Amino acid sequence: MPRILITGAAGFLGSHLCDRFIREGYEVVGMDNLITGDLRNLEHLFPLKEFSFYHHDVSMFVHVPGALDYILHFASPASPIDYLKIPIQTLKVGSLGTHNCLGLAKAKGARILVASTSEVYGDPTVHPQTEEYWGNVNPVGPRGVYDEAKRFQEAMTMAYHTYHGLQTRIIRIFNTYGPRMRLNDGRVLPAFIGQALRGEDLTVFGDGSQTRSFCYVDDLVEGIYRLLHSDYPYPVNIGNPDEITIAQFAEEIIKLTGTKQKIVYKPLPKDDPTQRQPDISKARKILGWEPKVSRAEGLKITYDAFRQLPQEALYKQEHRDFGHYVRK
Ligand code: UDP
């Protein structure tokens, strides 16, 4: 049974990855410091003997007993409000956390895949974004703590590949959505759906002409699975090229939820990228991958999941005590 470490296991993407690798017959070791992750995302896995969990901050030295065949480094705050609230931790997990994971991979002879991001392209001047584009990032702007940590992560990962011959993979993830996003993480989809469910107006930042391209989580997980098992060490974009303006997106959510509320306009956050769309030619060619779930389908599944959350979750994310599950 192959054994895989997943950092950020209690987060949105991490927990979906745990599910997928358990289903594929792996022994999964999850790790999370639970700053932005939530153990409720893993609750169903704790009874399984193939699953174990470490409550640990990967920015500090990481020790995992036993063999490891694979590491997925997915620990990081990932929404603009999170990394504004915890900028130093964001920088540390992308840099020191990556270094620790690479060191662990080297010690164990494991293959490692690191989660990079479309944010390495910053506010892009090339459209759609290909992997060859070097990006347009403001290092000292509010997003710099995330973007630069991820750029450093890529450089560090390539260095381990080149100098230590480590088997490395780099995925550049574009906006992804689905069940288990935190309703209050500030990202546009949970923000809009949360507002609709609470009967509040939908807040569009700027004039709403900025674009994003939203990928459903199952498609992303499939891309990650294929990239991990490929032999390609350079960055690969994974995302859904179906691009939409944020104003149109708000209209779609209004239709989907049937809310009677309207759109209100708020100031655009600093350095908010004006357009974003992945060029996925590489993923198509190398991985034979492309997204399968349309936005209409994915939004419906996500809305249904959010609707089932208890009423209090709409106003506050409470934290239950999972201490008995947590190994320090
Ligand atoms: N946005 C918005 N209203 C909100 C939250 C976000 O209009 O309540 C906009 C935000 O300014 C950005 C886009 O939606 O242009 C996507 O934001 P998100 O935080 O989801 O992710 P980003 O792609 O910017 O990292």
Side-chain angles (χ1 to χ4, degrees):
M1 190 184 253
R3 193 159 184 255
I4 186 166
L5 170 70
I6 302 179
T7 76
F12 163 49
L13 297 182
S15 64
H16 283 283
L17 286 166
C18 290
D19 286 345
R20 173 68 189 258
F21 280 86
I22 290 279
R23 268 209 311 280
E24 298 286 347
Y26 287 63
E27 183 184 336
V28 173
V29 181
M31 184 173 285
D32 207 301
N33 66 358
L34 303 178
I35 289 188
T36 58
D38 188 330
L39 281 181
R40 279 172 298 191
N41 293 334
L42 297 175
E43 195 173 11
H44 57 291
L45 297 180
F46 279 108
L48 305 180
K49 63 175 186 342
E50 300 80 25
F51 182 74
S52 56
F53 181 79
Y54 288 93
H55 183 196
H56 180 71
D57 184 343
V58 73
S59 301
M60 294 185 305
F61 183 84
V62 180
H63 173 67
V64 176
L68 281 177
D69 303 294
Y70 300 99
I71 298 176
L72 299 181
H73 182 35
F74 275 69
S76 178
S79 86
I81 60 162
D82 281 342
Y83 47 76
L84 286 175
K85 263 191 276 178
I86 39 175
I88 314 287
Q89 285 100 323
T90 303
L91 277 160
K92 282 171 74 177
V93 74
S95 55
L96 307 180
T98 298
H99 189 208
N100 290 335
C101 287
L102 289 164
L104 182 67
K106 184 164 155 270
K108 302 280 188 186
R111 179 182 296 182
I112 179 168
L113 180 149
V114 297
S116 186
T117 167
S118 56
E119 284 282 326
V120 300
Y121 303 123
D123 190 1
T125 55
V126 167
H127 195 74
Q129 292 80 56
T130 61
E131 289 86 348
E132 283 67 39
Y133 176 49
W134 291 350
N136 177 34
V137 169
N138 174 6
V140 294
R143 290 174 175 253
V145 296
Y146 184 67
D147 302 7
E148 294 297 355
K150 291 293 189 180
R151 290 172 68 94
F152 175 88
Q153 174 185 65
E154 290 197 6
M156 187 64 123
T157 302
M158 281 317 297
Y160 266 71
H161 174 70
T162 309
Y163 294 103
H164 292 309
L166 193 69
Q167 290 209 40
T168 57
R169 307 286 179 266
I170 300 171
I171 181 176
R172 290 187 181 150
I173 299 171
F174 284 66
N175 294 68
T176 302
Y177 69 96
R180 300 187 193 157
M181 290 182 97
R182 272 163 42 230
L183 255 182
N184 61 355
D185 85 352
R187 283 188 278 191
V188 66
L189 178 136
F192 285 171
I193 292 187
Q195 286 161 346
L197 288 172
R198 288 189 298 267
E200 297 168 1
D201 290 337
L202 274 62
T203 52
V204 166
F205 298 163
D207 62 5
S209 63
Q210 71 272 32
T211 68
R212 294 295 184 272
S213 308
F214 296 98
C215 183
Y216 185 65
V217 62
D218 287 358
D219 282 332
L220 181 85
V221 166
E222 178 63 29
I224 293 166
Y225 193 81
R226 289 189 190 203
L227 179 60
L228 180 67
H229 295 103
S230 78
D231 57 6
Y232 192 73
Y234 302 103
V236 178
N237 290 339
I238 298 283
N240 189 325
D242 189 2
E243 185 181 4
I244 184 173
T245 69
I246 295 302
Q248 287 170 322
F249 189 60
E251 295 291 353
E252 281 193 4
I253 300 288
I254 287 175
K255 227 170 124 194
L256 171 75
T257 59
T259 176
K260 299 280 175 287
Q261 304 299 130
K262 56 183 195 310
I263 293 174
V264 292
Y265 292 87
K266 301 264 170 164
L268 190 67
K270 185 167 159 45
D271 296 341
D272 198 289
T274 46
Q275 51 180 5
R276 184 182 287 158
Q277 183 194 35
D279 181 317
I280 58 165
S281 322
K282 207 157 258 170
R284 280 201 173 101
K285 186 155 164 261
I286 295 167
L287 310 176
W289 175 90
E290 60 181 11
K292 299 262 184 293
V293 182
S294 69
R295 201 169 51 245
E297 264 175 284
L299 285 182
K300 193 177 171 316
I301 301 168
T302 308
Y303 176 52
D304 287 344
F306 280 157
R307 260 199 305 190
Q308 277 158 30
L309 291 173
Q311 189 67 16
E312 64 267 23
L314 275 180
Y315 297 92
K316 192 166 170 276
Q317 292 269 321
E318 88 282 25
H319 285 276
R320 277 159 54 191
D321 181 11
F322 281 82
H324 55 294
Y325 284 133
V326 174
R327 256 191 268 153
K328 289 251 183 203

